[in-house]
Amino acid sequence: MHIAHTIAALRHARTTLADGKPGPHLGLVPTMGALHAGHRSLLRRARQECDLVVAFIFVNPLQFAPTEDLARYPRTFEADCRMLEEEGVDVLFAPTPEEMYPNGNNTFIHVTGIEGRLDGASRPGHFTGVATVVAKLFHIVAPTRAYFGQKDAAQVAVLRQMVRDLNFDLELIACPTVRDADGLALSSRNAYLSADERVRALILSRTLQRIASSIAEGTRDAATLRAEAHALLSSEADVVLDYLEIVDPDSLLPVVVANPGTLIAIAAKVGSTRLIDNLLAP
Ligand code: AMP
């Protein structure tokens, strides 16, 4: 695996390697590192579907508010490289913040409206940081396919809108959420949880499962489903709900009726750790 820490090195590796490949597809898997089986599923899918695979590891300062966990975000570069090698990644692009934002950054991507919904409402500026770094990355790497996790459903919606609006010539592929056997959605931030918090955190996936069961039994009224979920969530101590939303998966706007494919998204703090999870209504 080639490791590029600079934009120039990445472009050089991309051009040299792409020349020798049988087909045209370049798959990009953007991550913040601290890789787990969720990331692995994206890498594997990209490897299956593309001729050249580029992974990106970058803890993007632009998407963290000053009060958030940028400094303590888990960094496990060597183990990450091992996973990328195992999954047959061709190139790892791992720039420094100075390389991505030399002399600061004065150009920002605002996906207006949608960037202020779900996590964008709780984390003002977050999706501007995400959209800006991903737009830069798309220009630098020029992938034909980019792989993201459905776990971050609002991120997928924001980036899909950006790809449409800015005419990026690529396919954005959303991959299913990978979970632990007990249902907890894998996340690099799960590393922050104590054993006790890890058990409490199961309330997120349990709540989503309860909503899915209610829908399967015929309850599709969003207000009824929300009330049921709130009742369940309030039963768990030390879990503070941030949002529970039943929304259109593209616009992220609330719906009155949960039709098949409607996004049910939840964010909560378990102790000091903010976790998110979601599912699409059956
Ligand atoms: P992150 O490193 O947390 O920024 O995540 C990098 C990519 O992996 C994003 O597209 C995430 O949505 C995706 N991802 C994170 N956790 C999971 C998971 N449990 N299942 C599937 N994809 C995931």
Side-chain angles (χ1 to χ4, degrees):
M1 181 174 72
H2 291 252
I3 300 182
H5 291 292
T6 65
I7 294 165
L10 180 280
R11 285 193 162 136
H12 180 74
R14 182 203 187 286
T15 311
T16 322
L17 291 171
D19 276 353
K21 291 291 169 181
H25 280 298
L26 194 162
L28 172 67
V29 182
T31 81
M32 298 204 299
L35 301 181
H36 50 63
H39 299 112
R40 194 188 283 278
S41 71
L42 272 54
L43 296 165
R44 208 160 272 187
R45 175 105 181 250
R47 183 69 283 168
Q48 279 164 6
E49 297 180 352
C50 301
D51 306 290
L52 193 70
V53 176
V54 176
F56 179 57
I57 295 185
F58 183 60
V59 184
N60 175 31
L62 212 57
Q63 70 191 65
F64 287 77
T67 50
E68 293 181 347
D69 56 343
L70 174 63
R72 72 177 190 123
Y73 195 83
R75 286 163 170 87
T76 58
F77 190 74
E78 311 226 311
D80 292 351
C81 286
R82 283 197 294 278
M83 183 191 289
L84 299 176
E85 296 265 12
E86 280 163 21
E87 296 307 323
V89 167
D90 297 293
V91 184
L92 166 61
F93 179 38
T96 60
E98 295 72 30
E99 178 70 9
M100 286 302 274
Y101 305 114
N103 310 313
N105 195 72
N106 290 314
T107 303
F108 299 94
I109 304 293
H110 288 288
V111 188
T112 55
I114 195 168
E115 70 173 6
R117 297 176 193 144
L118 299 194
D119 304 279
S122 328
R123 305 179 66 189
H126 172 66
F127 285 131
T128 304
V130 170
T132 301
V133 79
V134 172
K136 285 166 72 78
L137 187 61
F138 285 173
H139 284 304
I140 294 166
V141 178
T144 60
R145 292 175 173 152
Y147 296 82
F148 293 87
Q150 183 62 29
K151 153 101 173 11
D152 296 271
Q155 172 170 278
V156 168
V158 168
L159 293 178
R160 276 198 198 289
Q161 184 72 49
M162 180 187 82
V163 164
R164 279 196 297 273
D165 290 350
L166 295 182
N167 307 99
F168 281 106
D169 191 12
L170 58 84
E171 190 185 350
L172 196 155
I173 295 159
C175 305
T177 301
V178 176
R179 300 174 180 282
D180 269 335
D182 58 9
L184 185 69
L186 296 187
S187 162
S188 305
R189 289 191 168 95
N190 291 352
Y192 299 149
L193 299 170
S194 69
D196 179 55
E197 288 169 344
R198 170 78 183 59
V199 174
R200 292 183 194 286
L202 292 174
I203 193 71
L204 274 78
S205 54
R206 276 216 307 275
T207 301
L208 292 170
Q209 280 312 322
R210 172 70 67 85
I211 295 183
S213 304
S214 295
I215 291 174
E217 286 159 16
T219 307
R220 292 197 174 266
D221 174 61
T224 309
L225 293 168
R226 253 198 312 272
E228 203 180 319
H230 277 278
L232 186 59
L233 276 158
S234 60
S235 68
E236 189 63 76
D238 294 332
V239 174
V240 178
L241 182 65
D242 175 353
Y243 66 71
L244 181 116
E245 298 278 3
I246 301 179
V247 299
D248 176 88
D250 298 318
S251 69
L252 305 181
L253 287 169
V255 297
V256 175
V257 176
N259 288 313
T262 292
L263 174 66
I264 300 156
I266 186 168
K269 266 197 158 178
V270 180
S272 59
T273 305
R274 185 175 181 280
L275 299 177
I276 61 173
D277 199 353
N278 69 81
L279 59 74
L280 299 175

